[in-house]
């Protein structure tokens, strides 16, 4: 909880608000913030140390504010990972995909503008909107957490948003967004007038692919559509698959025009020389960095099957289909009871998303074994109390 004196001139719309953030608790097993549970290999850490050492003697100078070398590394990685070759002018980096998203709202949102999403979705999106005085509207997803395409189209055409923000895989549900739906929405947006903007202004479509490396093999990335669509941008991060959450590196792939819009609102020298050096070091070991992605995907499928076999009040648990490194599962009469019983056993998961559901991210084999044992005990305890 915050303790802000009433004498401070906090913006009226921020009075009573709490800072965003998942609980940070010192417990044996943390499965609540969708981190990659495996630490960096020594080889990667050594390369990071070497590259940082190389730039350290020049820290009295500002870094390359256009981070050209890193943008080239993003290009090379997307060509390798998604089969699409883009130019340096079509990539942009920042301090995590959170900063990328904030820059998008700063550039395309603002007073009189609306951003449209499909809920349940990432809980930070409305905060980006709030912080940039952008209206935030949502279209509810279907019962299986796929988007309601018809209602989303209706929302776009009736509202005229400047930003259409979708996620694939979706957080907190893990739901994939089919490329056919993306193409349909792009076509609609290319014909839709942004409300309050000059004639001929159309919405930008943002696909948040923070967890895309965990998608099922053969599933295409929205990056492949960028050469054909000037109003499409795809946000990514190194936090998850690259086990780089502590480094804070996110990036955006888009038409050069969209990138130039972000360059207008970015802070000067926003990406430090140390951050750039660390990211370039990680890309030197791309295959090594991604080697555990398949293992985490396997862990997800095994855990989903196990959760679906568990009984709660005489019925099997529901688990949302996921192509991420986490699972949304339920439904619980009192999800806080389940959360707290797990926490008392040293297991931290996440209370997020729709009522009656909980989310767990994939950990190491030891962590997942501990989770399964504790969760089975919790379910047994609840049944006895009924």
């Amino acid at each position: 909880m915050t303790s802000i004196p009433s004498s401070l001139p906090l913006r009226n719309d921020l009075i009573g608000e709490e800072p965003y953030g998942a609980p940070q608790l010192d417990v044996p097993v943390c499965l609540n913030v969708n981190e990659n549970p495996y630490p960096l290999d020594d080889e990667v850490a050594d390369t990071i140390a070497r590259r940082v050492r190389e730039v350290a003697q020049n820290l009295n100078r500002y870094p390359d504010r256009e981070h050209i070398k890193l943008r080239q590394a993003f290009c090379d990685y997307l060509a390798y990972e998604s089969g699409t070759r883009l130019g340096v002018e079509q990539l942009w980096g920042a301090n995590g995909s959170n900063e990328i998203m904030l820059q998008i709202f700063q550039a395309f949102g603002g007073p009189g503008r609306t951003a449209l999403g499909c809920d349940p979705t990432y809980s930070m999106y409305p905060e980006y909107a709030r912080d940039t005085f952008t209206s935030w509207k949502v279209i509810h997803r279907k019962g299986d957490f796929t988007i309601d395409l018809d209602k989303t189209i209706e929302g776009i055409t009736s509202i005229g948003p400047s930003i259409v923000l979708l996620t694939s895989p979706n957080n907190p549900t893990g739901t994939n967004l089919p490329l056919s739906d993306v193409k349909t929405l792009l076509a609609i947006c290319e014909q839709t007038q942004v409300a309050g903007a000059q004639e001929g202004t159309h919405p930008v479509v943002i696909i948040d692919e923070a967890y895309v490396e965990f998608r099922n093999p053969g599933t295409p990335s929205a990056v492949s559509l960028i050469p054909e669509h000037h109003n499409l941008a795809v946000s990514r991060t190194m936090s998850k698959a690259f086990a780089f959450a502590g480094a804070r590196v996110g990036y955006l792939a888009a038409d050069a025009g969209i990138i130039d819009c972000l360059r207008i609102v970015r802070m000067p020298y926003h990406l430090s020389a140390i951050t750039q050096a660390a990211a370039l070091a990680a890309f030197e070991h791309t295959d090594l960095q991604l080697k555990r992605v398949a293992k985490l995907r396997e862990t997800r499928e095994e855990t989903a099957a196990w959760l679906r076999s568990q009984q709660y009040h005489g019925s099997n648990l529901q688990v949302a289909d996921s192509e991420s490194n986490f699972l949304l599962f339920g439904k619980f009469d009192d999800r806080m009871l389940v959360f707290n019983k797990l926490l008392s056993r040293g297991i931290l998961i996440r209370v997020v998303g729709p009522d009656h559901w909980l989310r767990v991210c994939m950990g190491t084999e030891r962590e997942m074994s501990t989770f399964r044992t504790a969760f089975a005990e919790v379910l047994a305890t609840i049944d006895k109390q009924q």
Side-chain angles (χ1 to χ4, degrees), residues 50-68:
R50 173 179 58 79
R51 277 193 171 266
V52 170
R53 178 67 179 82
E54 289 171 356
V55 303
Q57 290 184 318
N58 292 316
L59 289 181
N60 59 312
R61 304 296 184 184
Y62 286 113
D64 174 12
R65 65 183 173 218
E66 299 297 327
H67 51 285
I68 297 298

Side-chain angles (χ1 to χ4, degrees), residues 68-84:
I68 297 298
K69 291 181 180 179
L70 183 54
R71 289 162 75 181
Q72 182 61 60
F74 293 144
C75 293
D76 294 340
Y77 173 67
L78 289 179
Y80 166 82
E81 196 275 337
S82 296
T84 300

Side-chain angles (χ1 to χ4, degrees), residues 294-367:
K295 174 60 180 176
L296 288 168
R297 191 185 298 121
E298 179 182 307
T299 300
R300 177 193 72 208
E301 295 305 307
E302 292 173 349
T303 304
W306 182 83
L307 285 169
R308 290 187 178 109
S309 73
Q310 300 305 296
Q311 294 274 311
Y312 175 76
H313 292 346
S315 299
N316 289 75
L317 288 176
Q318 299 179 41
V319 181
D321 291 335
S322 175
E323 294 197 28
S324 62
N325 67 333
F326 55 81
L327 292 166
L328 191 73
F329 63 103
K331 297 181 176 180
F332 303 101
D333 295 338
D334 185 351
R335 63 177 175 177
M336 287 306 303
L337 175 66
V338 178
F339 172 84
N340 287 323
K341 284 183 176 294
L342 280 172
L343 186 58
S344 70
R345 290 165 170 78
I347 315 293
L348 178 62
I349 60 171
R350 188 78 185 273
V351 179
V352 69
D355 291 340
H356 312 296
W357 294 80
L358 292 166
R359 192 191 69 192
V360 60
C361 69
M362 299 302 100
T364 63
E365 290 186 5
R366 179 190 61 80
E367 289 172 333

